[in-house]
Amino acid sequence: AQSVTQLGSHVSVSEGALVLLRCNYSSSVPPYLFWYVQYPNQGLQLLLKYTTGATLVKGINGFEAEFKKSETSFHLTKPSAHMSDAAEYFCAVRGMNRDDKIIFGKGTRLHILP
Amino acid sequence: NAGVTQTPKFRVLKTGQSMTLLCAQDMNHEYMYWYRQDPGMGLRLIHYSVGEGTTAKGEVPDGYNVSRLKKQNFLLGLESAAPSQTSVYFCASSYGGSTSGEQYFGPGTRLTVT
């Protein structure tokens, strides 16, 4: 079975500072990994995903995440925060078996300080 | 493409009333899902469907019913609404089978039960 833990339900960073949102997963099979973003009063939007191959994955809006199998982590980073990055971010995992479903973390709300 | 659309966007119900939420997708996705999102609880899967004419229970199915009569539509019904069903409801869809299975979300329906 898969599970996801996001460390910190709220994270605050200053505009221009590094953004780091932490995600650890557990999976009995090689996983697919995802980060989604949810802006206020909107649905979730896929930021990036890891399937196979290169462990550093680049997504939209300058975000990237690195799959580290030894640490069972998939942390999301962005070098320089922008006010428009304020949103809730969800990490998710899915096993590679046909019937596996996506399991979402509980989310991390990112606040950007001026 | 419209992607995933949800109707209505907002609704207020009185306890005991019934209603149906409609989800439509134009991406020819096999799989469709209904989630509810509550503060601090993340996304919780209510019901899902892996194809036309099939449905299955998710994590929190009690008090809800679903139907998937057409591939592009997935209906969520509340037969007798309760205040505990006050929530934001999201529909999502995805390709099924051996794909990575990322889900595409609708904009949500905000339901209040008084």
XYZ file of all heavy atoms in Angstrom, chain B residues 14-86:
572
model
N -31.003 22.286 2.399
C -31.460 22.084 3.764
C -31.312 20.597 4.105
O -31.386 19.732 3.220
C -32.904 22.541 3.917
C -33.068 24.044 3.728
C -34.484 24.491 4.011
C -34.568 26.011 3.864
N -35.924 26.526 4.119
N -31.140 20.310 5.372
C -31.014 18.922 5.818
C -32.187 18.100 5.309
O -33.344 18.512 5.416
C -30.964 18.869 7.355
O -29.799 19.577 7.805
C -30.889 17.439 7.846
N -31.856 16.957 4.715
C -32.881 16.062 4.194
C -33.159 16.228 2.714
O -33.768 15.343 2.099
N -32.748 17.337 2.118
C -32.974 17.523 0.690
C -31.995 16.663 -0.104
O -30.969 16.208 0.404
C -32.801 18.999 0.299
C -33.933 19.888 0.778
C -33.785 21.318 0.290
O -32.691 21.886 0.259
N -34.907 21.923 -0.078
N -32.336 16.474 -1.359
C -31.465 15.683 -2.230
C -30.944 16.555 -3.361
O -31.516 17.604 -3.670
C -32.230 14.490 -2.807
O -33.290 14.949 -3.629
N -29.849 16.108 -3.954
C -29.321 16.821 -5.105
C -28.356 15.907 -5.869
O -27.887 14.897 -5.326
C -28.612 18.108 -4.731
C -27.223 17.961 -4.170
S -26.308 19.523 -4.167
C -26.122 19.828 -5.928
N -28.078 16.298 -7.098
C -27.124 15.581 -7.937
C -26.087 16.554 -8.461
O -26.431 17.621 -8.966
C -27.820 14.902 -9.125
O -28.782 13.970 -8.636
C -26.807 14.166 -9.992
N -24.826 16.181 -8.315
C -23.729 16.946 -8.881
C -23.308 16.261 -10.182
O -23.135 15.045 -10.232
C -22.530 16.996 -7.935
C -22.575 17.952 -6.742
C -23.650 17.526 -5.746
C -21.233 18.008 -6.047
N -23.103 17.076 -11.213
C -22.737 16.536 -12.513
C -21.290 16.846 -12.831
O -20.831 17.972 -12.644
C -23.626 17.126 -13.600
C -23.222 16.810 -15.046
C -23.309 15.314 -15.307
C -24.081 17.594 -16.019
N -20.584 15.843 -13.300
C -19.217 16.005 -13.775
C -19.154 15.533 -15.221
O -19.684 14.467 -15.549
C -18.257 15.180 -12.925
S -16.539 15.222 -13.495
N -18.504 16.325 -16.061
C -18.333 15.949 -17.458
C -16.881 16.168 -17.871
O -16.260 17.146 -17.466
C -19.264 16.767 -18.345
N -16.365 15.227 -18.681
C -15.001 15.388 -19.212
C -14.990 15.076 -20.704
O -15.719 14.193 -21.160
C -14.011 14.481 -18.446
C -14.385 13.024 -18.352
C -13.786 12.141 -19.433
O -12.976 12.584 -20.251
N -14.170 10.868 -19.431
N -14.144 15.809 -21.425
C -14.093 15.653 -22.882
C -12.742 15.134 -23.334
O -12.316 15.392 -24.465
C -14.448 16.975 -23.564
C -13.486 18.104 -23.229
O -12.504 17.865 -22.482
O -13.717 19.235 -23.699
N -12.045 14.425 -22.465
C -10.700 13.921 -22.770
C -10.696 12.415 -23.060
O -9.633 11.807 -23.150
C -9.764 14.251 -21.607
C -9.585 15.753 -21.430
S -8.636 16.199 -19.958
C -9.873 15.970 -18.686
N -11.872 11.829 -23.135
C -12.002 10.400 -23.408
C -11.314 9.549 -22.333
O -10.795 8.461 -22.613
C -11.441 10.038 -24.792
C -12.028 8.733 -25.311
O -13.185 8.403 -25.051
N -11.230 7.982 -26.038
N -11.323 10.040 -21.104
C -10.708 9.295 -20.006
C -11.599 8.140 -19.578
O -12.823 8.258 -19.534
C -10.463 10.212 -18.810
C -9.301 11.135 -19.003
N -9.097 12.236 -18.203
C -8.273 11.104 -19.878
C -7.990 12.848 -18.589
N -7.477 12.186 -19.617
N -10.937 7.029 -19.225
C -11.678 5.867 -18.743
C -12.122 6.040 -17.299
O -13.191 5.625 -16.902
C -10.798 4.617 -18.834
C -10.623 4.064 -20.239
C -11.929 3.547 -20.828
O -12.770 3.038 -20.064
O -12.112 3.673 -22.052
N -11.226 6.577 -16.475
C -11.456 6.625 -15.034
C -11.994 7.990 -14.614
O -11.541 9.031 -15.123
C -10.158 6.373 -14.266
C -9.591 4.968 -14.348
C -10.048 4.044 -15.278
C -8.584 4.572 -13.481
C -9.516 2.763 -15.345
C -8.043 3.296 -13.532
C -8.511 2.401 -14.463
O -7.961 1.130 -14.529
N -12.930 7.978 -13.680
C -13.434 9.219 -13.095
C -13.583 9.057 -11.599
O -13.780 7.918 -11.102
C -14.761 9.625 -13.747
C -14.600 9.946 -15.237
S -16.089 10.590 -16.003
C -16.107 12.283 -15.377
N -13.516 10.165 -10.871
C -13.441 10.130 -9.407
C -14.263 11.281 -8.813
O -14.367 12.356 -9.412
C -11.994 10.324 -8.941
C -10.966 9.471 -9.646
C -10.449 9.866 -10.879
C -10.503 8.295 -9.083
C -9.495 9.096 -11.534
C -9.552 7.517 -9.735
C -9.055 7.926 -10.952
O -8.112 7.166 -11.601
N -14.788 11.045 -7.625
C -15.365 12.115 -6.824
C -14.623 12.181 -5.495
O -14.468 11.165 -4.800
C -16.849 11.885 -6.556
C -17.738 12.350 -7.666
C -18.433 11.591 -8.556
C -18.061 13.714 -7.976
N -19.138 12.388 -9.411
C -18.942 13.701 -9.073
C -17.694 14.950 -7.437
C -19.452 14.859 -9.639
C -18.201 16.091 -7.997
C -19.073 16.048 -9.082
N -14.169 13.394 -5.133
C -13.516 13.652 -3.866
C -14.291 14.713 -3.107
O -14.977 15.540 -3.696
C -12.106 14.214 -4.095
C -11.104 13.286 -4.717
C -10.944 13.234 -6.105
C -10.289 12.484 -3.931
C -9.998 12.396 -6.681
C -9.343 11.643 -4.504
C -9.204 11.607 -5.877
O -8.265 10.783 -6.449
N -14.076 14.728 -1.802
C -14.481 15.868 -1.016
C -13.239 16.436 -0.329
O -12.295 15.705 -0.012
C -15.572 15.516 -0.006
C -15.226 14.456 1.012
C -16.386 14.244 1.987
N -16.547 15.401 2.895
C -17.556 15.529 3.744
N -18.488 14.586 3.833
N -17.633 16.579 4.530
N -13.243 17.752 -0.163
C -12.099 18.415 0.452
C -12.595 19.229 1.633
O -13.444 20.105 1.494
C -11.384 19.335 -0.543
C -10.114 19.956 0.029
C -9.397 20.839 -0.965
O -10.002 21.469 -1.822
N -8.070 20.885 -0.859
N -12.059 18.919 2.790
C -12.403 19.612 4.023
C -11.129 20.120 4.673
O -10.070 19.490 4.546
C -13.135 18.656 4.970
C -14.369 18.055 4.339
O -15.345 18.805 4.181
O -14.362 16.863 3.965
N -11.214 21.231 5.393
C -10.015 21.820 6.012
C -9.261 20.813 6.880
O -9.846 20.154 7.740
C -10.594 22.962 6.847
C -11.866 23.330 6.159
C -12.431 22.035 5.646
N -7.966 20.685 6.644
C -7.135 19.803 7.443
C -7.242 18.332 7.114
O -6.525 17.506 7.686
N -8.143 17.984 6.194
C -8.383 16.565 5.883
C -7.832 16.196 4.512
O -7.851 15.027 4.129
C -9.880 16.270 5.910
C -10.572 16.643 7.192
S -10.111 15.553 8.545
C -11.007 14.088 8.122
N -7.388 17.163 3.752
C -6.918 16.863 2.403
C -8.065 16.428 1.507
O -9.222 16.790 1.717
N -7.748 15.633 0.519
C -8.755 15.095 -0.400
C -9.135 13.686 0.044
O -8.261 12.868 0.310
C -8.193 15.018 -1.816
C -7.985 16.323 -2.557
C -7.179 16.063 -3.808
C -9.327 16.930 -2.935
N -10.403 13.410 0.098
C -10.863 12.062 0.437
C -11.729 11.536 -0.699
O -12.661 12.204 -1.132
C -11.629 12.081 1.758
C -10.736 12.361 2.961
C -11.502 12.264 4.261
N -12.457 13.352 4.419
C -13.382 13.404 5.373
N -13.471 12.418 6.251
N -14.196 14.430 5.452
N -11.420 10.336 -1.135
C -12.103 9.733 -2.265
C -13.462 9.188 -1.835
O -13.555 8.391 -0.901
C -11.241 8.612 -2.854
C -11.765 7.894 -4.083
C -11.863 8.858 -5.263
C -10.868 6.708 -4.432
N -14.511 9.600 -2.547
C -15.864 9.167 -2.205
C -16.224 7.913 -3.003
O -16.501 6.850 -2.444
C -16.879 10.291 -2.506
C -16.507 11.573 -1.767
C -18.293 9.844 -2.096
C -17.344 12.781 -2.176
N -16.257 8.048 -4.306
C -16.512 6.941 -5.222
C -15.677 7.163 -6.467
O -15.243 8.268 -6.745
C -17.991 6.888 -5.650
C -18.942 6.403 -4.621
N -19.144 5.068 -4.338
C -19.800 7.088 -3.813
C -20.070 4.945 -3.408
N -20.487 6.161 -3.065
N -15.482 6.093 -7.218
C -14.777 6.226 -8.469
C -15.339 5.230 -9.483
O -16.140 4.350 -9.152
C -13.264 6.031 -8.296
C -12.840 4.665 -7.842
C -12.352 3.721 -8.743
C -12.901 4.309 -6.501
C -11.953 2.462 -8.320
C -12.506 3.056 -6.062
C -12.031 2.142 -6.973
O -11.642 0.896 -6.553
N -14.914 5.411 -10.726
C -15.393 4.552 -11.804
C -14.235 4.257 -12.750
O -13.495 5.166 -13.133
C -16.519 5.256 -12.560
O -16.801 4.587 -13.774
N -14.099 3.002 -13.118
C -13.029 2.614 -14.038
C -13.545 2.399 -15.449
O -12.813 1.931 -16.328
C -12.262 1.370 -13.540
C -11.618 1.658 -12.192
C -13.177 0.159 -13.458
N -14.796 2.746 -15.686
C -15.332 2.646 -17.030
C -16.825 2.837 -17.024
O -17.481 2.767 -15.975
N -17.361 3.075 -18.210
C -18.808 3.276 -18.354
C -19.555 2.102 -17.738
O -19.233 0.937 -17.983
C -19.141 3.400 -19.846
C -20.583 3.659 -20.163
C -20.787 3.805 -21.673
O -19.969 4.481 -22.308
O -21.748 3.195 -22.193
N -20.543 2.421 -16.924
C -21.365 1.389 -16.322
C -20.799 0.761 -15.074
O -21.429 -0.132 -14.482
N -19.626 1.177 -14.633
C -19.010 0.602 -13.431
C -18.751 1.688 -12.403
O -18.391 2.816 -12.753
C -17.667 -0.078 -13.732
O -16.687 0.920 -14.020
C -17.778 -1.021 -14.907
N -18.955 1.353 -11.122
C -18.613 2.271 -10.037
C -18.057 1.461 -8.874
O -18.293 0.256 -8.779
C -19.838 3.076 -9.549
O -20.809 2.176 -9.026
C -20.447 3.899 -10.678
N -17.329 2.149 -7.998
C -16.757 1.479 -6.837
C -16.657 2.470 -5.691
O -16.591 3.683 -5.917
C -15.378 0.907 -7.165
N -16.650 1.939 -4.462
C -16.577 2.781 -3.284
C -15.144 3.214 -3.010
O -14.196 2.457 -3.199
C -17.128 2.033 -2.073
C -18.598 1.736 -2.159
C -19.083 0.985 -0.926
C -20.568 0.698 -1.015
N -21.070 -0.025 0.177
N -15.024 4.433 -2.527
C -13.743 4.937 -2.097
C -13.624 4.910 -0.591
O -14.165 4.027 0.074
N -12.971 5.925 -0.059
C -12.674 5.989 1.375
C -13.884 6.393 2.213
O -14.078 5.908 3.325
C -11.541 7.004 1.568
C -11.048 7.204 2.975
C -10.013 8.323 3.061
O -9.611 8.843 1.980
O -9.621 8.692 4.172
N -14.730 7.294 1.676
C -15.852 7.834 2.455
C -17.141 7.786 1.636
O -17.721 8.817 1.301
C -15.567 9.269 2.941
C -14.535 9.283 4.044
C -15.110 10.168 1.777
N -17.683 6.606 1.325
C -18.824 6.507 0.416
C -20.197 6.708 1.059
O -21.187 6.930 0.341
C -18.701 5.069 -0.094
C -18.115 4.330 1.078
C -17.164 5.303 1.712
N -20.281 6.627 2.399
C -21.591 6.633 3.042
C -22.331 7.943 2.811
O -21.779 9.023 2.996
C -21.428 6.373 4.541
C -20.910 4.973 4.814
O -21.003 4.108 3.901
O -20.417 4.726 5.933
N -23.610 7.819 2.429
C -24.450 8.984 2.202
C -24.421 9.493 0.773
O -25.115 10.462 0.455
N -23.648 8.827 -0.077
C -23.508 9.230 -1.481
C -23.784 8.052 -2.408
O -23.501 6.905 -2.060
C -22.100 9.735 -1.775
C -21.600 10.833 -0.884
C -20.841 10.549 0.246
C -21.868 12.168 -1.169
C -20.371 11.547 1.072
C -21.393 13.188 -0.353
C -20.645 12.865 0.761
O -20.180 13.871 1.564
N -24.310 8.363 -3.590
C -24.403 7.354 -4.634
C -23.898 7.968 -5.934
O -23.847 9.194 -6.075
C -25.835 6.839 -4.788
C -26.824 7.970 -5.067
O -26.872 8.493 -6.174
N -27.602 8.337 -4.068
N -23.493 7.118 -6.856
C -22.921 7.599 -8.116
C -23.466 6.777 -9.273
O -23.951 5.660 -9.102
C -21.374 7.529 -8.132
C -20.766 8.578 -7.220
C -20.896 6.127 -7.764
N -23.372 7.360 -10.450
C -23.707 6.619 -11.657
C -22.822 7.081 -12.794
O -22.463 8.254 -12.882
C -25.186 6.779 -12.017
O -25.478 8.123 -12.333
N -22.513 6.146 -13.694
C -21.654 6.425 -14.853
C -22.332 5.760 -16.060
O -21.905 4.740 -16.570
C -20.260 5.839 -14.626
C -19.295 6.134 -15.770
C -18.357 7.241 -15.451
N -17.461 7.561 -16.546
C -16.243 7.038 -16.680
N -15.786 6.150 -15.787
N -15.487 7.394 -17.685
N -23.404 6.400 -16.501
C -24.166 5.855 -17.628
C -23.488 6.139 -18.956
O -23.646 5.383 -19.925
C -25.589 6.407 -17.610
C -26.406 6.060 -16.370
C -27.799 6.675 -16.457
C -26.495 4.549 -16.177
N -22.759 7.249 -19.026
C -22.010 7.588 -20.215
C -20.551 7.780 -19.844
O -20.247 8.246 -18.744
C -22.540 8.879 -20.847
C -23.935 8.785 -21.424
C -24.316 10.107 -22.077
C -25.695 10.033 -22.693
N -26.065 11.318 -23.351
N -19.663 7.468 -20.733
C -18.235 7.534 -20.438
C -17.816 8.933 -20.003
O -16.965 9.090 -19.116
C -17.438 7.120 -21.674
C -15.944 7.053 -21.461
C -15.242 6.569 -22.714
C -13.745 6.424 -22.485
N -13.058 5.918 -23.688
N -18.421 9.950 -20.577
C -17.955 11.295 -20.305
C -18.576 11.919 -19.067
O -18.161 12.994 -18.649
C -18.220 12.199 -21.535
C -19.694 12.373 -21.874
C -20.174 11.363 -22.903
O -19.708 10.220 -22.937
N -21.107 11.780 -23.751
N -19.569 11.257 -18.462
C -20.268 11.860 -17.331
C -20.185 10.986 -16.083
O -20.263 9.750 -16.166
C -21.753 12.067 -17.665
C -21.959 13.082 -18.767
O -21.099 13.909 -19.016
N -23.100 13.009 -19.423
N -20.092 11.642 -14.930
C -20.060 10.913 -13.660
C -20.877 11.731 -12.680
O -20.548 12.880 -12.390
C -18.608 10.770 -13.189
C -18.391 9.770 -12.093
C -19.209 8.664 -11.942
C -17.318 9.902 -11.219
C -18.984 7.723 -10.957
C -17.082 8.970 -10.221
C -17.921 7.877 -10.090
N -21.979 11.152 -12.199
C -22.913 11.866 -11.350
C -22.741 11.442 -9.899
O -22.590 10.248 -9.600
C -24.349 11.583 -11.781
C -24.911 12.399 -12.950
C -24.146 12.142 -14.229
C -26.388 12.109 -13.141
N -22.796 12.430 -9.015
C -22.733 12.171 -7.572
C -24.053 12.617 -6.960
O -24.446 13.774 -7.115
C -21.584 12.942 -6.933
C -21.454 12.815 -5.414
C -20.958 11.414 -5.032
C -20.485 13.867 -4.857
N -24.722 11.704 -6.264
C -26.002 12.009 -5.664
C -25.959 11.993 -4.149
O -25.265 11.168 -3.546
N -26.690 12.942 -3.571
C -26.925 12.950 -2.136
C -28.418 12.762 -1.958
O -29.214 13.615 -2.372
C -26.499 14.271 -1.498
C -25.016 14.571 -1.338
C -24.353 14.875 -2.667
C -24.819 15.724 -0.366
N -28.820 11.639 -1.386
C -30.252 11.347 -1.288
C -30.917 12.118 -0.163
O -32.056 12.559 -0.283
C -30.460 9.852 -1.073
C -30.124 9.022 -2.314
C -30.491 7.557 -2.140
O -30.765 7.144 -0.999
O -30.469 6.839 -3.159
N -30.221 12.291 0.941
C -30.764 12.999 2.105
C -29.605 13.741 2.772
O -28.878 13.179 3.587
C -31.403 12.011 3.074
O -31.911 12.684 4.207
N -29.448 15.000 2.371
C -28.259 15.734 2.781
C -28.208 15.956 4.289
O -29.244 16.169 4.947
C -28.208 17.077 2.059
N -26.974 15.927 4.816
C -26.723 16.170 6.237
C -25.674 17.268 6.373
O -24.845 17.444 5.471
C -26.220 14.895 6.903
N -25.701 18.012 7.483
C -24.698 19.072 7.666
C -23.256 18.570 7.533
O -22.380 19.328 7.090
C -24.986 19.576 9.081
C -26.460 19.345 9.257
C -26.731 18.046 8.547
N -23.007 17.308 7.861
C -21.657 16.753 7.744
C -21.183 16.644 6.290
O -19.993 16.407 6.031
C -21.595 15.373 8.391
O -22.486 14.488 7.734
N -22.122 16.819 5.367
C -21.765 16.772 3.953
C -21.432 18.149 3.385
O -21.165 18.275 2.185
C -22.870 16.095 3.139
C -23.028 14.615 3.500
C -24.156 13.936 2.774
O -25.311 14.378 2.831
N -23.849 12.848 2.085
N -21.451 19.145 4.223
C -20.959 20.463 3.820
C -19.483 20.338 3.487
O -18.683 19.900 4.327
C -21.159 21.477 4.953
O -22.556 21.684 5.154
C -20.475 22.806 4.623
